Each structure stands twice: as C-alpha cells, then as structure tokens.
Amino acid sequence: MSKSYYEFFCPVKIIAGHSALEHVPFELSTLGAKRPMILTDAGVRKAGLLAPVEAALQVGGIGAAAIFDDVPPDSSLATVRAAATTYRDNDCDAILAIGGGSVIDTSKAVNILVSLGGDDLMAYAGAHNLPRPLKPLFVIPTTSGTGSEVTLAAVISDPERSVKLPFASYYLMPNATVLDPRMTLTLPAHITAMTGMDAMTHAVEAFTCLAANPISDAYATAAIQKIANNLLVAIDEPRNADARLELAQASTMAGIAFSNAMVGLVHALGHATGGVCHLPHGLCMSLYLPYALEYNKSVNGARIGELLLPLAGAQVYASTPPAQRADVAIDFIRRLRDHLHAKTQLPRTLQETGKVRRDQLDEIADRALNDGSIIYNPKEADLGQLRAILDKAWG
Amino acid sequence: MTAHSLSLAAAQRAYVALMMTVISRGLCAASINDDDVGREVARFRPGYTLVMTVFPDGPRFGLEVTPDGHFARSAVTDEAADLVIRFKHLAHAFLVFTFQEGTARAFANDRMVADGDLSDAIRLVRCLNRMEALILPGPVARRALKQYPPLPLGQKLRTASGIYGRVAASFFTR
Ligand SMILES: [Fe+2]
C-alpha cells in the first residue's frame, strides 16, 4: 500500500569518512563553540579512542575544556546531573559525545540541563516539552547499531522510582554526527555482531512496518545492503577500515529510517526481553527478527520479499520467483544469524542465551503487548500469538 | 479561507465533538460491559487520567480510572492528565472518527501525538479498537482496524447493545 501521508525529518549534519575527526574543530567553530566537554565512558577511554579525538581538537585550536568519562552502561539521572555539574564548573559551551547508546542518550539529557538551566530533568520528560534549541551537540559513535546519533529521543533511568524516563524533542537531535572508521576498529567481534543486527533490524522494521514512507525506504534499503555486504567482513577482518565505515554509515542510515518510520514487533519483543531478562538489545534483535518476519508475512509478504534485493543482490533477486522472495529473504536473515553464531558464538535461540527461563516467556509476551512499538507492526498480535512467537524463538 | 471551507470546518468540528462524547461514553460503558476492555482498563492505576483532544483547543474528552477499575468521564485538564493524545488537526480527527483511518494507521501517519507513557497509549488504542469492533457494522470496522476479530454475532450483539444502551442512558442521565 502506498503511503497516503507521511513526514520525514533529519536535520543532523553527517560528517563521514576517513579523517572525519579532523573536521570537528572547524565544524564546532561554525557554531561558535570554543570549549567543548567530552562525554564518554571508561570503556572508550580504556580502548584508547579518546586520543585521536583529543589530538584532532588540539591541532584544530579547540581543546576539550573538560572530560566526563563516568557514564555507566544504563545511564541514570544521577549521571546526568554529575555531568552537567562538570560542564558548568568548566565553563563549557558544547558537548562532544563519544560512545554507544548510553553515552549518546546521556549527552542529550545533559544538554537539556546545561542549556535550559536547573537540575530537574523530570520537568522536561515526555514528548516535545523543550521550549527552545539547546547547546551544540556533536556525536561520535563508537558502535554501529543504536542510531541514537540521528534520533530525537533519549531514555534515562530513574533507579529511585525504578522507571525509565523518555524524552522526545526535535531539539534533542545532535547538530552533527561524526563517522570515522578509527572509532570502531577495536570493537570486539560479538559486539560488532549484536550492534550490526540492531541496525539491520532498524532498517528491516522501518521498511516493513506501518509508517514506512518513500524517503525512509531509500535509507532503509541502502542500510540493509551495506550491512549484508559488510557485517561478516568486519568480523573476519576487524581492522578493515572500509568495512567498518560502511557499517557505521549503515547504522546511521538505519537510524534515520527508523526515526521517521518507526519499528515494530521485533523491538516490542526485544524491549520486553531486555526488561525481564536483561539480555543485550542487539542480541534480542538477532533472536527475534526471523520469527517476527515469518509472523508478519501473511500480511505483507510482498514487502518482505522486496528485502531480498538489498539483502542478496540483483542476481538472486531476479532468479527468485516473486512468490518465493519473502521466504528466501527470511532464510537469508536466518543464515546470517547462523554465520554470526559460528564466528562469534552469538546465541541463535532464547535457550542458547542461558539467561532466559522458559517460565519468563509469559511475562515477556505481556510486556511486549504493551510496548509502544507494537502499534506500528503491520499485523495485529495478541497475547497468545506473541507467546507462540516466543516459543519458536526459544529453540 | 472561503466561506465554504469555514462552514465545512464548523460541521467537522460539530461531528468530532459529538463523536468525542459518544466515544468517551462508549469507553466508559465498554469498561463495564466488555470483559476485554474491562481487563485492559483495570491495569491502569485508579485515579489515572487521560485526555483525547484536537490541536489547538479541542474538542476533547477526559477520562479517569475509578477505584473499582472502570472508566468515568472526567474534567481533567491537559496539563494535569497522565496521558494526552492530541490530533494535530481537526481534519485528522474527522478521518479517524468517520472510521476512514484506523487509530493505529493514524499514529503511523503522524496524525496525532501521544504525551505520556507510550504503553498506556497502546492500551487505550486497544480499548478503542475493541470498542469499534463491537459497536461498528462489520465492513466499517474492517476498514478501521488492522485486524477485525472474529466475534460471534451473538456476543457482538449482546455486548454492543449493552454499550449502546449505556451510551444512550448516559446521554439522558447526565
Ligand atoms: Fe534497536
């Protein structure tokens, strides 16, 4: 079905390629920023990823005025406040986030406090509750998966009330995202695999769910092609800068696609599984993607069949009869999952993770039913149907 | 703006306002009469408030969850409500309330924004879908819903007449 109405928005400047980091000082200066605070985590620092950034800033005449490297994997209100204090104490005027999803989400929340003043992040939670633009925010992703570098959303946990606070506003979108292959060269194989499958799922769901539109489709299919062609290469040759750059671009493209076309059942199940069993998000995506497509096939099989072209290439696509393309596309994804298992021991089933008990499946199904993503799934799913998908994914 | 388009807007506004009333009362009735809707509503905490409205200033309705887990109509303000679902334009609300565009499709088409916990919004959409499946004639419901549940005719008639009965009653008793 063609889309009767849609909106598309992405004002984030993409700075991508070899030596991209060296463009950061000039880009900061065009926004009037002179004293950026680097926001990152201990892992990034230990991997030595700050060195090339600091060197690029130094030579460009805009040194980091402060470094906050204490962001935990699941960022909290306390971290946001602490980082905001560092920013204020050092008289900073921009934020440079270097890391994965947690660092990027934290940087957006810190930007709310340092731009709008005060300490009360809660006052800005929800959709479109920011009154004006924020300070310059640049993002340098060190994983290729979340897509958070181009989205308008951030999630911060409040451990005291044990809730997750969602934020969504156009003003949360970074001014620029910097994709430099040096930043992902040292990413371990299993994290490359998980984050790659997260990006793949963003693109596949953006293309196959209800809010897909012609512009998001273009980003989604291009992202799928890059991931299909480069994920296994980057795992086999971790220091292959071209493959790493392709994955980084694919992740950002998939992020642009899903932030405009949303995600569906795979993410509903993944969010639920993350909440109940604390399984990594990318792993959940890899586990559920084939089964969710299988489930949706009866409603949008033709659309799923179109995925075969970016996944497998023109020759396979042309030689596969249209009626079989959906099945062959799903099979391609299943085989990718199996290759990732062979190369990185990424679990193929819920059972293989060793972290999920069978008696937790009911709770996962119940949470998935109430997850926001499920509304965009092309096929309605009730509790029993979700449970049946989970039984298949159990293995 | 021409006189024609203004009077069309006035008519749409009147229709949407009427449907807001019908739907809010339908939800209240379904929360008592229909087991599925009742179960969904019981999962909101008592005192939970929600608003469905149209940018910039209505028409609108507010609902509150009663201590015994049903919906009741409420005068809660947008600012105080736990969940606000806002159509971006009167014309979009008209599409949805004339069942030309389903609620899920309307979300996907950016016709409305939800402010509040998204899982609460999803639950409300399920209640709306269920109520539409119950009270609308099959062909209309099929167009509005992603999936039209196979309801036994007897159940549909029983529950629907109960909902219609209560909606009618609530028009007279308020
Ligand atoms: Fe994801």
Side-chain angles (χ1 to χ4, degrees):
Chain A
M1 191 193 310
S2 74
K3 192 91 162 89
S4 63
Y5 174 84
Y6 67 92
E7 296 176 3
F8 184 94
F9 185 62
C10 182
V12 182
K13 176 158 185 171
I14 314 288
I15 299 167
H18 303 283
S19 301
L21 291 177
E22 279 68 22
H23 287 255
V24 172
F26 176 82
E27 293 293 332
L28 280 171
S29 77
T30 62
L31 298 179
K34 295 187 177 71
R35 297 179 58 79
M37 173 177 82
I38 289 179
L39 186 81
T40 188
D41 62 32
V44 170
R45 174 159 249 183
K46 236 172 62 200
L49 296 175
L50 292 193
V53 182
E54 286 184 290
L57 290 177
Q58 211 66 55
V59 175
I62 300 186
I67 298 178
F68 184 95
D69 66 358
D70 211 11
V71 178
D74 201 4
S75 193
S76 68
L77 283 180
T79 307
V80 173
R81 290 201 195 99
T85 303
T86 302
Y87 181 103
R88 289 168 180 147
D89 288 350
N90 291 281
D91 206 15
C92 297
D93 58 9
I95 301 173
L96 190 50
I98 309 174
S102 175
V103 166
I104 300 172
D105 279 17
T106 303
S107 72
K108 292 175 180 175
V110 172
N111 205 10
I112 296 175
L113 290 187
V114 301
S115 302
L116 302 177
D119 246 356
D120 184 14
L121 203 53
M122 242 98 86
Y124 302 106
H128 306 290
N129 284 332
L130 305 183
R132 58 176 185 272
L134 310 181
K135 303 279 184 191
L137 168 63
F138 281 37
V139 173
I140 307 180
T142 57
T143 65
S144 298
T146 72
S148 188
E149 67 274 14
V150 284
T151 72
L152 52 65
V155 180
I156 301 293
S157 64
D158 177 357
E160 278 160 37
R161 299 188 302 145
S162 68
V163 292
K164 289 189 177 247
L165 292 173
F167 299 84
S169 165
Y170 296 127
Y171 298 138
L172 287 180
M173 298 180 110
N175 298 80
T177 182
V178 185
L179 309 177
D180 188 308
R182 282 171 286 179
M183 303 308 284
T184 51
L185 287 182
T186 55
L187 203 61
H190 71 284
I191 298 184
T192 303
M194 287 193 289
T195 50
M197 288 309 286
D198 189 20
M200 175 70 98
T201 306
H202 292 156
V204 168
E205 292 212 287
F207 189 80
T208 54
C209 289
L210 283 183
N213 66 67
I215 302 180
S216 64
D217 284 354
Y219 282 94
T221 48
I224 291 168
Q225 186 179 19
K226 284 189 189 309
I227 297 164
N229 290 342
N230 291 283
L231 184 53
L232 295 174
V233 177
I235 285 168
D236 286 339
E237 312 160 27
R239 301 202 68 87
N240 182 327
D242 291 328
R244 291 291 193 182
L245 182 58
E246 287 290 274
L247 288 182
Q249 294 175 95
S251 163
T252 294
M253 295 165 105
I256 294 171
F258 91 80
S259 70
N260 285 281
M262 314 311 282
V263 284
L265 185 54
V266 188
H267 273 78
L269 288 166
H271 294 152
T273 312
V276 176
C277 311
H278 306 286
L279 225 51
H281 176 73
L283 170 56
C284 296
M285 300 297 101
S286 183
L287 292 173
Y288 293 132
L289 182 56
Y291 300 105
L293 290 175
E294 198 74 64
Y295 175 79
N296 286 338
K297 200 178 70 179
S298 65
V299 167
N300 68 343
R303 198 72 183 148
I304 295 170
E306 289 305 299
L307 295 175
L308 188 60
L309 180 59
L311 280 171
Q315 226 155 27
V316 174
Y317 180 82
S319 63
T320 307
Q324 291 169 22
R325 281 176 188 155
D327 286 327
V328 178
I330 296 170
D331 204 51
F332 186 97
I333 289 171
R334 212 175 264 125
R335 273 185 290 127
L336 178 59
R337 176 198 70 184
D338 294 346
H339 283 308
L340 293 174
H341 172 76
K343 289 175 191 292
T344 74
Q345 289 78 53
L346 192 73
R348 291 163 295 184
T349 61
L350 285 171
Q351 201 172 3
E352 270 182 4
T353 66
K355 287 187 181 155
V356 183
R357 295 192 320 269
R358 197 141 202 187
D359 63 14
Q360 290 176 311
L361 298 190
D362 281 329
E363 194 189 345
I364 295 175
D366 186 69
R367 285 211 200 188
L369 188 64
N370 290 299
D371 186 87
S373 303
I374 206 159
I375 195 169
Y376 298 103
N377 197 63
K379 184 173 171 186
E380 201 86 56
D382 64 22
L383 207 55
Q385 288 161 325
L386 290 173
R387 186 53 220 259
I389 297 170
L390 288 168
D391 279 329
K392 283 188 185 155
W394 175 260
Chain B
M1 197 182 247
T2 65
H4 170 74
S5 66
L6 272 177
S7 66
L8 180 66
Q12 282 190 346
R13 194 181 168 89
Y15 176 82
V16 169
L18 174 68
M19 283 308 289
M20 288 273 193
T21 311
V22 170
I23 280 178
S24 63
R25 289 175 186 198
L27 282 171
C28 294
S31 72
I32 298 170
N33 270 21
D34 181 71
D35 289 346
D36 282 11
V37 176
R39 252 194 309 276
E40 297 282 4
V41 176
R43 295 187 57 172
F44 291 110
R45 69 173 161 73
Y48 184 90
T49 50
L50 63 90
V51 165
M52 196 162 211
T53 185
V54 180
F55 179 83
D57 55 1
R60 68 192 290 284
F61 69 81
L63 292 176
E64 179 172 348
V65 177
T66 62
D68 53 347
H70 299 133
F71 275 141
R73 282 155 55 80
S74 157
V76 64
T77 62
D78 291 6
E79 290 71 31
D82 294 300
L83 171 69
V84 178
I85 293 184
R86 180 175 283 111
F87 288 98
K88 294 179 180 174
H89 195 277
L90 185 67
H92 305 154
F94 186 76
L95 277 182
V96 169
F97 290 147
T98 48
F99 311 104
Q100 301 179 65
E101 194 164 89
T103 321
R105 173 70 61 183
F107 264 111
N109 283 6
D110 279 306
R111 309 292 197 194
M112 51 223 233
V113 284
D115 193 358
D117 190 336
L118 214 47
S119 62
D120 293 339
I122 302 308
R123 206 171 302 140
L124 178 66
V125 169
R126 271 207 303 276
C127 293
L128 282 168
N129 286 350
R130 172 76 185 170
M131 193 190 64
E132 287 176 9
L134 286 169
I135 67 173
L136 292 177
V140 180
R142 227 166 265 127
R143 188 172 54 201
L145 303 177
K146 274 195 271 185
Q147 199 166 31
Y148 181 59
L151 291 172
L153 186 64
Q155 186 197 350
K156 177 163 171 145
L157 287 179
R158 244 183 344 267
T159 321
S161 66
I163 293 173
Y164 281 128
R166 274 177 196 273
V167 170
S170 69
F171 268 107
F172 290 117
T173 54
R174 71 158 288 197

